[in-house]
Amino acid sequence: MVIVSSYDQAWPERFAEARAEILAVAGDRFTEVEHVGSTSVPGLPAKPIIDIAALAPDLDAVPPGLFDGLGYRAEDFGAPGRLLFVRRAGDVRTHHLHVFPPTNWEYNKERVLAAHLRKYPEAARRYGELKQKLAASGMTGDAYTRAKTGLIQELSDAARAERGLPPEPVWEE
């Protein structure tokens, strides 16, 4: 079952703490670290998972065990050209650290959508209402994610168009 929580004022602080810990371990491997995802959008209901995007000029310099001491584990999630580290409290995901190369940074899907939702409260409201409705219906995992696709694609297309970019599928198959 998917849990969607009301916006929590502590999410930005949880990101800032995670960012400091990550940078202390990563050293100069990352040149930028940003809060992305729904928890980065003030007022937006979200799964209470802090999504973090990091820019790594060299993905090969980020070994799978680098963040083990912080409780992050490398996971293969089928998206080529990027890395994912997941932190859990027991069986519950609390943080996702997405690591991207420079070629996928400037117009990165996660960054572009989060910025769009922060800029357009009506878009964030629509997205939040959909997330709450789907979670309340009892949807789980992949079904919940796929049920959001239409609206996420619409919002992503609008965000990309505003930047003069063509539409791009939101899911990597």
Side-chain angles (χ1 to χ4, degrees):
M1 184 166 153
V2 174
I3 304 296
V4 173
S5 302
S6 296
Y7 181 77
D8 186 335
Q9 297 290 338
W11 288 339
E13 184 178 316
R14 288 180 54 208
F15 161 74
E17 291 166 357
R19 181 182 188 275
E21 292 174 339
I22 289 165
L23 286 173
V25 171
D28 63 358
R29 290 177 179 92
F30 296 159
T31 56
E32 295 187 49
V33 178
E34 296 180 9
H35 191 185
V36 295
S38 294
T39 61
S40 75
V41 181
L44 182 61
K47 291 188 290 184
I49 301 169
I50 305 301
D51 281 295
I52 303 161
L55 172 60
D58 180 5
L59 289 182
D60 292 333
V62 185
L66 183 62
F67 301 106
D68 283 358
L70 299 176
Y72 291 86
R73 299 292 178 258
E75 292 194 7
D76 180 6
F77 66 114
R82 61 195 255 190
L83 306 172
L84 174 66
F85 296 86
V86 177
R87 184 186 223 177
R88 290 179 169 81
D91 291 336
V92 178
R93 290 174 178 237
T94 61
H95 297 72
H96 292 159
L97 171 59
H98 305 267
V99 182
F100 300 96
T103 55
N104 190 13
W105 185 255
E106 186 64 28
Y107 299 110
N108 168 273
K109 295 173 193 177
E110 290 83 356
R111 294 179 65 236
V112 168
L113 180 59
H116 186 78
L117 293 172
R118 286 190 293 268
K119 184 175 179 180
Y120 296 103
E122 176 61 18
R125 182 196 61 75
R126 288 178 58 213
Y127 186 44
E129 286 177 357
L130 176 62
K131 290 165 58 147
Q132 289 174 316
K133 176 183 165 191
L134 295 173
S137 77
M139 282 192 174
T140 60
D142 194 53
Y144 168 82
T145 300
R146 296 293 174 183
K148 298 184 305 178
T149 299
L151 182 57
I152 292 172
Q153 188 69 59
E154 175 191 328
L155 298 173
S156 293
D157 289 350
R160 291 180 60 79
E162 186 173 53
R163 290 165 175 75
L165 300 169
E168 185 176 282
V170 294
W171 303 124
E172 297 157 353
E173 299 294 337

Coordinates of all heavy atoms in Angstrom, one line a residue, residues 50-140:
I50 N 12.7 11.4 0.9 CA 13.5 12.5 0.5 C 14.2 12.1 -0.8 O 15.1 11.2 -0.7 CB 14.5 13.0 1.6 CG1 13.7 13.3 2.9 CG2 15.3 14.2 1.1 CD1 12.6 14.4 2.8
D51 N 13.9 12.8 -1.9 CA 14.6 12.5 -3.2 C 15.7 13.5 -3.4 O 15.5 14.7 -3.3 CB 13.6 12.5 -4.4 CG 12.8 11.3 -4.5 OD1 13.4 10.2 -4.7 OD2 11.6 11.3 -4.3
I52 N 16.9 13.0 -3.6 CA 18.1 13.9 -3.8 C 18.7 13.6 -5.1 O 18.9 12.4 -5.5 CB 19.1 13.5 -2.7 CG1 18.5 13.7 -1.3 CG2 20.4 14.3 -2.8 CD1 19.2 13.0 -0.2
A53 N 19.0 14.7 -5.9 CA 19.7 14.5 -7.2 C 21.1 15.1 -7.0 O 21.3 16.2 -6.5 CB 18.9 15.3 -8.2
A54 N 22.1 14.3 -7.4 CA 23.5 14.7 -7.3 C 24.1 14.6 -8.7 O 23.9 13.7 -9.5 CB 24.2 13.8 -6.4
L55 N 24.9 15.6 -9.0 CA 25.7 15.7 -10.3 C 27.1 15.1 -10.1 O 27.8 15.7 -9.2 CB 25.7 17.1 -10.8 CG 26.6 17.4 -12.0 CD1 26.2 16.5 -13.2 CD2 26.6 18.8 -12.4
A56 N 27.4 14.1 -10.8 CA 28.7 13.5 -10.7 C 29.4 13.6 -12.0 O 29.0 12.9 -13.0 CB 28.6 12.0 -10.2
P57 N 30.5 14.3 -12.2 CA 31.2 14.4 -13.4 C 31.7 13.0 -13.9 O 31.8 12.8 -15.1 CB 32.4 15.3 -13.2 CG 31.9 16.2 -12.0 CD 31.0 15.3 -11.2
D58 N 31.9 12.1 -13.0 CA 32.4 10.8 -13.4 C 31.6 9.7 -12.6 O 31.9 9.5 -11.4 CB 33.9 10.7 -13.1 CG 34.4 9.3 -13.5 OD1 33.7 8.4 -14.0 OD2 35.6 9.1 -13.2
L59 N 30.6 9.0 -13.2 CA 29.9 8.0 -12.4 C 30.7 6.9 -12.0 O 30.5 6.3 -10.9 CB 28.7 7.5 -13.3 CG 27.6 8.4 -13.6 CD1 26.5 7.7 -14.5 CD2 26.9 8.9 -12.3
D60 N 31.8 6.6 -12.7 CA 32.7 5.5 -12.3 C 33.4 5.8 -11.0 O 33.9 4.9 -10.3 CB 33.7 5.2 -13.4 CG 33.1 4.6 -14.6 OD1 32.0 3.9 -14.5 OD2 33.6 4.8 -15.7
A61 N 33.5 7.1 -10.6 CA 34.1 7.5 -9.4 C 33.2 7.4 -8.1 O 33.6 7.7 -7.0 CB 34.6 8.9 -9.5
V62 N 32.0 6.8 -8.4 CA 31.0 6.7 -7.3 C 30.7 5.2 -7.1 O 29.8 4.6 -7.8 CB 29.7 7.4 -7.6 CG1 28.7 7.3 -6.5 CG2 30.0 8.9 -8.0
P63 N 31.6 4.5 -6.3 CA 31.4 3.1 -6.2 C 30.2 2.7 -5.4 O 29.6 3.5 -4.6 CB 32.7 2.7 -5.4 CG 33.1 3.9 -4.7 CD 32.7 5.0 -5.5
P64 N 29.6 1.5 -5.6 CA 28.4 1.0 -5.0 C 28.4 1.1 -3.5 O 27.4 1.4 -2.9 CB 28.2 -0.4 -5.5 CG 29.0 -0.5 -6.7 CD 30.2 0.5 -6.6
G65 N 29.5 0.9 -2.8 CA 29.5 0.9 -1.4 C 29.9 2.2 -0.7 O 30.0 2.3 0.5
L66 N 30.0 3.3 -1.5 CA 30.4 4.6 -1.0 C 29.6 5.1 0.1 O 30.2 5.6 1.1 CB 30.5 5.6 -2.2 CG 31.0 7.0 -1.8 CD1 32.4 6.9 -1.4 CD2 30.8 8.0 -3.0
F67 N 28.3 4.9 0.1 CA 27.5 5.5 1.1 C 26.9 4.5 2.1 O 26.0 4.8 2.9 CB 26.3 6.3 0.5 CG 26.8 7.4 -0.4 CD1 26.7 7.2 -1.8 CD2 27.4 8.5 0.1 CE1 27.2 8.2 -2.6 CE2 27.8 9.5 -0.7 CZ 27.8 9.4 -2.1
D68 N 27.5 3.3 2.1 CA 27.1 2.2 3.1 C 27.1 2.7 4.5 O 26.2 2.4 5.3 CB 28.0 1.0 3.0 CG 27.7 0.1 1.7 OD1 26.8 0.5 1.0 OD2 28.4 -0.9 1.6
G69 N 28.1 3.5 4.9 CA 28.2 4.0 6.3 C 27.1 5.0 6.7 O 26.8 5.2 7.8
L70 N 26.4 5.5 5.7 CA 25.2 6.4 5.9 C 23.9 5.6 5.8 O 22.9 6.2 6.0 CB 25.2 7.6 4.9 CG 26.4 8.5 4.9 CD1 26.3 9.5 3.8 CD2 26.6 9.2 6.3
G71 N 24.0 4.4 5.5 CA 22.8 3.6 5.4 C 22.2 3.5 4.0 O 21.1 3.0 3.8
Y72 N 22.9 4.0 3.0 CA 22.4 4.0 1.6 C 23.0 2.7 1.0 O 24.2 2.4 1.1 CB 22.9 5.2 0.8 CG 22.2 6.5 1.2 CD1 22.8 7.3 2.3 CD2 21.1 7.0 0.6 CE1 22.2 8.5 2.6 CE2 20.5 8.2 0.9 CZ 21.1 8.9 1.9 OH 20.5 10.1 2.3
R73 N 22.1 2.0 0.2 CA 22.6 0.9 -0.5 C 22.3 1.1 -2.0 O 21.3 1.6 -2.4 CB 21.8 -0.4 -0.1 CG 21.9 -0.8 1.3 CD 23.3 -1.3 1.6 NE 23.5 -1.6 3.1 CZ 24.1 -0.8 3.9 NH1 24.6 0.4 3.6 NH2 24.2 -1.1 5.2
A74 N 23.3 0.8 -2.8 CA 23.2 0.9 -4.3 C 22.1 -0.1 -4.8 O 22.1 -1.2 -4.3 CB 24.5 0.6 -5.0
E75 N 21.2 0.4 -5.7 CA 20.2 -0.5 -6.2 C 20.2 -0.3 -7.7 O 20.3 0.8 -8.2 CB 18.8 -0.2 -5.7 CG 18.7 -0.5 -4.2 CD 17.3 -0.5 -3.7 OE1 16.3 -0.4 -4.5 OE2 17.1 -0.7 -2.5
D76 N 20.0 -1.4 -8.4 CA 19.8 -1.4 -9.9 C 18.3 -1.3 -10.2 O 17.5 -2.2 -9.8 CB 20.4 -2.6 -10.5 CG 20.2 -2.6 -12.1 OD1 19.8 -1.6 -12.6 OD2 20.5 -3.6 -12.7
F77 N 17.9 -0.2 -10.8 CA 16.5 0.0 -11.1 C 16.2 0.1 -12.5 O 15.1 0.5 -12.9 CB 15.9 1.2 -10.3 CG 16.4 2.5 -10.7 CD1 15.6 3.5 -11.3 CD2 17.8 2.8 -10.5 CE1 16.1 4.7 -11.7 CE2 18.3 4.1 -10.9 CZ 17.4 5.0 -11.5
G78 N 17.1 -0.3 -13.4 CA 16.9 -0.4 -14.8 C 17.0 0.9 -15.6 O 16.6 0.9 -16.7
A79 N 17.5 2.0 -15.0 CA 17.6 3.3 -15.7 C 19.1 3.4 -16.1 O 19.9 3.6 -15.2 CB 17.1 4.4 -14.9
P80 N 19.4 3.3 -17.3 CA 20.8 3.4 -17.7 C 21.4 4.9 -17.6 O 20.6 5.8 -17.6 CB 20.8 3.1 -19.2 CG 19.4 3.4 -19.7 CD 18.5 3.2 -18.5
G81 N 22.6 4.9 -17.3 CA 23.3 6.2 -17.3 C 23.1 7.0 -16.0 O 23.3 8.2 -16.0
R82 N 22.7 6.3 -14.9 CA 22.6 7.0 -13.6 C 22.6 5.9 -12.5 O 22.5 4.8 -12.8 CB 21.3 7.8 -13.5 CG 20.0 7.0 -13.7 CD 18.8 7.8 -14.0 NE 18.0 7.9 -12.8 CZ 16.8 8.4 -12.8 NH1 16.3 8.9 -13.9 NH2 16.1 8.5 -11.7
L83 N 22.8 6.4 -11.3 CA 22.9 5.5 -10.2 C 21.8 5.8 -9.2 O 21.3 7.0 -9.1 CB 24.3 5.7 -9.5 CG 25.5 5.5 -10.4 CD1 26.8 5.9 -9.6 CD2 25.6 4.1 -10.9
L84 N 21.4 4.8 -8.4 CA 20.5 5.0 -7.3 C 21.0 4.4 -6.0 O 21.4 3.2 -6.1 CB 19.1 4.4 -7.7 CG 18.0 4.4 -6.6 CD1 17.6 5.8 -6.3 CD2 16.8 3.6 -7.0
F85 N 20.9 5.2 -5.0 CA 21.2 4.7 -3.6 C 20.0 4.9 -2.8 O 19.4 6.0 -2.8 CB 22.4 5.4 -3.0 CG 23.7 5.3 -3.8 CD1 24.0 6.1 -4.9 CD2 24.6 4.3 -3.4 CE1 25.2 5.9 -5.6 CE2 25.8 4.1 -4.1 CZ 26.1 4.9 -5.2
V86 N 19.6 3.9 -2.0 CA 18.4 3.9 -1.2 C 18.7 3.8 0.2 O 19.5 2.9 0.6 CB 17.4 2.8 -1.7 CG1 16.1 2.9 -0.8 CG2 17.0 3.0 -3.1
R87 N 18.1 4.6 1.1 CA 18.3 4.6 2.5 C 17.0 4.1 3.1 O 15.9 4.7 2.7 CB 18.7 5.9 3.1 CG 19.0 5.9 4.6 CD 19.2 7.4 5.0 NE 20.4 7.5 5.9 CZ 20.8 8.6 6.4 NH1 20.3 9.8 6.0 NH2 21.8 8.6 7.2
R88 N 17.0 3.2 4.1 CA 15.8 2.7 4.7 C 15.9 2.8 6.2 O 17.0 2.8 6.8 CB 15.6 1.3 4.3 CG 15.2 1.0 2.9 CD 15.0 -0.5 2.6 NE 14.4 -0.8 1.3 CZ 15.1 -0.8 0.2 NH1 16.4 -0.5 0.1 NH2 14.5 -1.0 -1.0
A89 N 14.7 2.9 6.8 CA 14.6 2.7 8.2 C 13.8 1.4 8.4 O 12.6 1.4 8.1 CB 13.8 3.9 8.9
G90 N 14.5 0.3 8.6 CA 13.8 -1.0 8.6 C 13.5 -1.3 7.2 O 14.3 -1.3 6.3
D91 N 12.2 -1.6 6.9 CA 11.8 -1.9 5.5 C 11.2 -0.7 4.8 O 10.8 -0.8 3.6 CB 10.6 -3.0 5.6 CG 11.2 -4.3 6.0 OD1 12.4 -4.6 5.8 OD2 10.4 -5.1 6.5
V92 N 11.2 0.5 5.4 CA 10.6 1.7 4.8 C 11.7 2.6 4.2 O 12.7 2.9 4.8 CB 9.9 2.5 5.9 CG1 9.3 3.8 5.4 CG2 8.8 1.6 6.6
R93 N 11.5 2.9 2.9 CA 12.4 3.8 2.3 C 12.3 5.2 2.8 O 11.2 5.7 3.0 CB 12.1 3.9 0.8 CG 12.4 2.6 0.0 CD 12.0 2.7 -1.4 NE 12.3 1.5 -2.1 CZ 13.0 1.5 -3.3 NH1 13.4 2.6 -3.8 NH2 13.4 0.4 -3.8
T94 N 13.4 5.9 3.1 CA 13.4 7.2 3.7 C 14.1 8.2 2.7 O 13.7 9.4 2.7 CB 14.0 7.3 5.0 OG1 15.4 6.9 4.9 CG2 13.3 6.4 6.1
H95 N 15.0 7.8 2.0 CA 15.8 8.6 1.1 C 16.1 7.9 -0.2 O 16.5 6.7 -0.2 CB 17.1 9.1 1.7 CG 17.0 9.9 2.9 ND1 16.6 9.4 4.1 CD2 17.2 11.2 3.2 CE1 16.6 10.3 5.1 NE2 16.9 11.4 4.5
H96 N 16.1 8.6 -1.3 CA 16.6 8.1 -2.6 C 17.7 9.1 -3.1 O 17.4 10.3 -3.2 CB 15.5 8.1 -3.7 CG 14.4 7.1 -3.5 ND1 13.2 7.3 -4.1 CD2 14.4 6.0 -2.7 CE1 12.5 6.3 -3.7 NE2 13.1 5.5 -2.9
L97 N 18.9 8.6 -3.3 CA 20.0 9.5 -3.9 C 20.1 9.1 -5.3 O 20.6 8.0 -5.6 CB 21.2 9.3 -3.0 CG 22.5 9.9 -3.6 CD1 22.4 11.4 -3.8 CD2 23.7 9.5 -2.7
H98 N 19.8 9.9 -6.2 CA 19.9 9.7 -7.7 C 21.2 10.4 -8.1 O 21.3 11.6 -7.9 CB 18.7 10.3 -8.4 CG 17.4 9.8 -7.9 ND1 16.7 8.8 -8.5 CD2 16.5 10.3 -6.9 CE1 15.6 8.6 -7.9 NE2 15.4 9.5 -6.9
V99 N 22.0 9.7 -8.8 CA 23.3 10.3 -9.2 C 23.3 10.3 -10.7 O 23.1 9.3 -11.4 CB 24.5 9.5 -8.7 CG1 25.8 10.2 -9.1 CG2 24.4 9.4 -7.1
F100 N 23.5 11.5 -11.3 CA 23.4 11.7 -12.7 C 24.8 12.3 -13.3 O 25.5 13.0 -12.6 CB 22.4 12.8 -13.0 CG 21.0 12.4 -12.6 CD1 20.5 12.9 -11.4 CD2 20.2 11.6 -13.4 CE1 19.2 12.5 -11.0 CE2 18.9 11.3 -13.0 CZ 18.4 11.7 -11.8
P101 N 25.1 11.9 -14.5 CA 26.2 12.5 -15.2 C 25.9 13.9 -15.7 O 24.7 14.2 -15.8 CB 26.5 11.5 -16.3 CG 25.2 11.0 -16.7 CD 24.4 10.9 -15.4
P102 N 26.9 14.7 -16.1 CA 26.6 16.0 -16.7 C 25.7 16.0 -17.9 O 24.9 16.9 -18.1 CB 28.0 16.5 -17.1 CG 28.9 15.8 -16.2 CD 28.3 14.4 -16.0
T103 N 25.7 14.9 -18.7 CA 24.9 14.9 -19.9 C 23.4 14.8 -19.6 O 22.6 15.1 -20.5 CB 25.3 13.7 -20.8 OG1 25.2 12.5 -20.0 CG2 26.7 13.8 -21.4
N104 N 23.1 14.4 -18.4 CA 21.7 14.3 -18.0 C 21.3 15.2 -16.8 O 20.5 14.9 -16.0 CB 21.4 12.8 -17.6 CG 19.9 12.5 -17.4 OD1 19.1 13.3 -17.8 ND2 19.6 11.4 -16.8
W105 N 22.0 16.3 -16.7 CA 21.7 17.2 -15.6 C 20.9 18.4 -15.9 O 19.9 18.6 -15.3 CB 23.1 17.6 -15.0 CG 22.9 18.4 -13.7 CD1 23.0 19.8 -13.6 CD2 22.5 17.9 -12.4 NE1 22.7 20.1 -12.3 CE2 22.4 19.0 -11.6 CE3 22.2 16.7 -11.9 CZ2 22.1 18.9 -10.2 CZ3 21.9 16.5 -10.6 CH2 21.8 17.6 -9.8
E106 N 21.3 19.2 -16.9 CA 20.6 20.5 -17.1 C 19.1 20.3 -17.3 O 18.3 21.1 -16.8 CB 21.2 21.2 -18.3 CG 20.7 22.6 -18.6 CD 21.0 23.5 -17.4 OE1 22.0 23.4 -16.7 OE2 20.2 24.5 -17.2
Y107 N 18.7 19.3 -18.1 CA 17.3 19.2 -18.4 C 16.8 17.8 -17.8 O 15.9 17.2 -18.4 CB 17.0 19.3 -19.9 CG 17.4 20.7 -20.3 CD1 18.5 20.8 -21.2 CD2 16.7 21.8 -19.9 CE1 18.8 22.1 -21.6 CE2 17.1 23.0 -20.3 CZ 18.1 23.2 -21.1 OH 18.5 24.5 -21.5
N108 N 17.3 17.4 -16.7 CA 17.0 16.2 -16.0 C 15.5 16.2 -15.6 O 15.0 17.2 -15.1 CB 17.9 16.1 -14.7 CG 17.4 15.1 -13.8 OD1 16.6 15.3 -13.0 ND2 18.0 13.9 -13.9
K109 N 14.8 15.1 -15.9 CA 13.4 15.0 -15.7 C 12.9 15.3 -14.3 O 12.0 16.1 -14.1 CB 12.9 13.6 -16.1 CG 13.1 13.2 -17.5 CD 12.7 11.8 -17.7 CE 13.2 11.3 -19.1 NZ 12.9 9.9 -19.3
E110 N 13.6 14.8 -13.3 CA 13.3 15.0 -11.9 C 13.4 16.5 -11.5 O 12.6 17.0 -10.8 CB 14.1 14.1 -11.0 CG 13.8 12.6 -11.1 CD 14.4 11.9 -12.2 OE1 15.1 12.5 -13.1 OE2 14.2 10.7 -12.3
R111 N 14.5 17.1 -11.9 CA 14.8 18.5 -11.6 C 13.8 19.4 -12.3 O 13.3 20.3 -11.7 CB 16.2 18.8 -12.0 CG 17.3 18.1 -11.2 CD 18.7 18.5 -11.6 NE 18.9 19.9 -11.3 CZ 19.3 20.8 -12.2 NH1 19.5 20.4 -13.5 NH2 19.5 22.0 -11.9
V112 N 13.5 19.1 -13.6 CA 12.6 20.0 -14.3 C 11.2 19.9 -13.8 O 10.5 21.0 -13.6 CB 12.7 19.6 -15.8 CG1 11.5 20.3 -16.6 CG2 14.0 20.0 -16.4
L113 N 10.7 18.7 -13.5 CA 9.3 18.6 -13.0 C 9.2 19.3 -11.6 O 8.3 20.0 -11.3 CB 8.9 17.2 -12.9 CG 7.5 16.9 -12.4 CD1 6.4 17.7 -13.2 CD2 7.2 15.4 -12.3
A114 N 10.2 19.0 -10.7 CA 10.1 19.6 -9.4 C 10.1 21.1 -9.4 O 9.3 21.8 -8.8 CB 11.3 19.1 -8.5
A115 N 11.0 21.7 -10.3 CA 11.0 23.2 -10.5 C 9.7 23.7 -11.0 O 9.2 24.7 -10.5 CB 12.1 23.6 -11.4
H116 N 9.1 23.0 -11.9 CA 7.8 23.4 -12.5 C 6.7 23.4 -11.4 O 5.9 24.3 -11.3 CB 7.4 22.4 -13.6 CG 6.2 22.8 -14.4 ND1 6.2 23.8 -15.3 CD2 4.9 22.3 -14.3 CE1 4.9 23.9 -15.8 NE2 4.2 23.0 -15.2
L117 N 6.7 22.3 -10.6 CA 5.7 22.2 -9.5 C 5.8 23.3 -8.5 O 4.9 23.8 -7.9 CB 5.7 20.8 -8.9 CG 5.2 19.7 -9.8 CD1 5.5 18.4 -9.1 CD2 3.8 19.9 -10.2
R118 N 7.1 23.7 -8.2 CA 7.3 24.8 -7.2 C 6.9 26.1 -7.8 O 6.4 27.0 -7.1 CB 8.8 24.8 -6.9 CG 9.2 23.7 -5.9 CD 10.6 23.9 -5.3 NE 11.7 23.8 -6.3 CZ 12.3 22.6 -6.6 NH1 12.0 21.5 -6.0 NH2 13.3 22.7 -7.6
K119 N 7.0 26.3 -9.1 CA 6.7 27.5 -9.8 C 5.1 27.7 -10.0 O 4.6 28.8 -10.0 CB 7.4 27.6 -11.1 CG 7.2 28.9 -11.9 CD 8.0 29.0 -13.1 CE 7.8 30.3 -13.9 NZ 8.6 30.3 -15.1
Y120 N 4.4 26.6 -10.2 CA 3.0 26.6 -10.5 C 2.2 25.8 -9.5 O 2.0 24.6 -9.6 CB 2.8 26.0 -11.9 CG 3.4 26.8 -13.0 CD1 4.6 26.4 -13.6 CD2 2.9 28.0 -13.4 CE1 5.3 27.2 -14.6 CE2 3.5 28.8 -14.4 CZ 4.7 28.4 -15.0 OH 5.3 29.1 -15.9
P121 N 1.7 26.6 -8.5 CA 0.9 25.9 -7.4 C -0.3 25.2 -7.9 O -0.6 24.1 -7.3 CB 0.6 27.1 -6.5 CG 1.5 28.1 -6.8 CD 1.9 28.0 -8.2
E122 N -0.9 25.6 -8.9 CA -2.1 24.9 -9.5 C -1.7 23.5 -10.0 O -2.4 22.5 -9.8 CB -2.8 25.7 -10.5 CG -4.0 25.0 -11.2 CD -5.1 24.7 -10.2 OE1 -5.2 25.2 -9.1 OE2 -5.9 23.8 -10.6
A123 N -0.6 23.4 -10.7 CA -0.1 22.2 -11.2 C 0.2 21.2 -10.0 O -0.1 20.1 -10.0 CB 1.1 22.4 -12.0
A124 N 0.9 21.8 -9.0 CA 1.2 21.0 -7.8 C -0.1 20.5 -7.1 O -0.2 19.4 -6.6 CB 2.0 21.8 -6.8
R125 N -1.1 21.4 -7.0 CA -2.4 21.0 -6.4 C -3.0 19.8 -7.1 O -3.4 18.8 -6.5 CB -3.4 22.2 -6.4 CG -4.7 21.8 -5.7 CD -5.8 22.8 -6.0 NE -6.1 22.9 -7.4 CZ -6.8 22.0 -8.1 NH1 -7.3 20.9 -7.5 NH2 -7.0 22.2 -9.4
R126 N -3.0 19.9 -8.5 CA -3.6 18.8 -9.3 C -2.9 17.5 -9.0 O -3.5 16.5 -8.9 CB -3.6 19.2 -10.8 CG -4.5 20.2 -11.2 CD -4.4 20.6 -12.6 NE -4.6 19.4 -13.5 CZ -4.0 19.2 -14.7 NH1 -3.1 20.1 -15.1 NH2 -4.2 18.2 -15.4
Y127 N -1.6 17.6 -9.0 CA -0.7 16.4 -8.8 C -1.0 15.8 -7.4 O -1.1 14.6 -7.2 CB 0.7 16.8 -9.0 CG 1.7 15.6 -9.0 CD1 1.4 14.4 -9.6 CD2 2.9 15.7 -8.4 CE1 2.2 13.3 -9.6 CE2 3.8 14.6 -8.3 CZ 3.4 13.4 -8.9 OH 4.3 12.4 -8.9
G128 N -1.0 16.7 -6.4 CA -1.2 16.3 -5.0 C -2.6 15.6 -4.9 O -2.7 14.5 -4.2
E129 N -3.6 16.1 -5.5 CA -4.9 15.5 -5.4 C -5.0 14.1 -6.0 O -5.5 13.2 -5.5 CB -6.0 16.4 -6.1 CG -6.3 17.6 -5.2 CD -7.3 18.6 -5.9 OE1 -7.7 18.3 -7.1 OE2 -7.6 19.6 -5.3
L130 N -4.3 14.0 -7.2 CA -4.2 12.7 -7.8 C -3.5 11.7 -7.0 O -4.0 10.6 -6.8 CB -3.5 12.8 -9.2 CG -3.3 11.5 -9.9 CD1 -4.7 10.8 -10.2 CD2 -2.5 11.7 -11.2
K131 N -2.4 12.1 -6.4 CA -1.6 11.2 -5.5 C -2.4 10.7 -4.4 O -2.4 9.5 -4.0 CB -0.3 11.9 -5.1 CG 0.7 12.1 -6.2 CD 1.7 13.1 -5.8 CE 2.5 12.7 -4.6 NZ 3.9 13.0 -4.6
Q132 N -3.1 11.6 -3.7 CA -4.0 11.3 -2.6 C -5.1 10.3 -3.0 O -5.4 9.4 -2.3 CB -4.5 12.5 -1.9 CG -3.4 13.3 -1.2 CD -3.9 14.6 -0.6 OE1 -4.7 15.4 -1.3 NE2 -3.6 14.9 0.6
K133 N -5.7 10.6 -4.1 CA -6.8 9.8 -4.6 C -6.3 8.3 -4.9 O -7.0 7.4 -4.5 CB -7.4 10.4 -5.9 CG -8.5 9.6 -6.5 CD -9.0 10.2 -7.8 CE -9.7 9.3 -8.6 NZ -10.0 9.8 -10.0
L134 N -5.2 8.2 -5.6 CA -4.7 6.9 -5.9 C -4.3 6.1 -4.6 O -4.5 4.9 -4.5 CB -3.5 7.0 -6.9 CG -3.8 7.6 -8.2 CD1 -2.5 7.9 -9.0 CD2 -4.8 6.7 -9.0
A135 N -3.6 6.8 -3.7 CA -3.2 6.2 -2.5 C -4.4 5.7 -1.7 O -4.4 4.6 -1.1 CB -2.3 7.1 -1.6
A136 N -5.5 6.5 -1.6 CA -6.7 6.2 -0.9 C -7.4 5.0 -1.5 O -8.1 4.3 -0.8 CB -7.6 7.4 -0.8
S137 N -7.2 4.8 -2.8 CA -7.8 3.7 -3.5 C -7.2 2.3 -3.2 O -7.7 1.3 -3.5 CB -7.8 3.9 -5.0 OG -6.5 3.6 -5.5
G138 N -6.0 2.4 -2.5 CA -5.3 1.2 -2.1 C -4.3 0.7 -3.1 O -3.8 -0.4 -3.0
M139 N -4.0 1.5 -4.1 CA -3.0 1.1 -5.1 C -1.7 0.8 -4.5 O -1.3 1.5 -3.5 CB -2.9 2.1 -6.2 CG -4.0 2.1 -7.2 SD -3.5 3.2 -8.6 CE -4.9 2.8 -9.7
T140 N -0.9 0.0 -5.1 CA 0.4 -0.3 -4.6 C 1.5 -0.1 -5.7 O 1.1 -0.2 -6.9 CB 0.5 -1.7 -4.0 OG1 0.2 -2.6 -5.1 CG2 -0.4 -2.0 -2.9

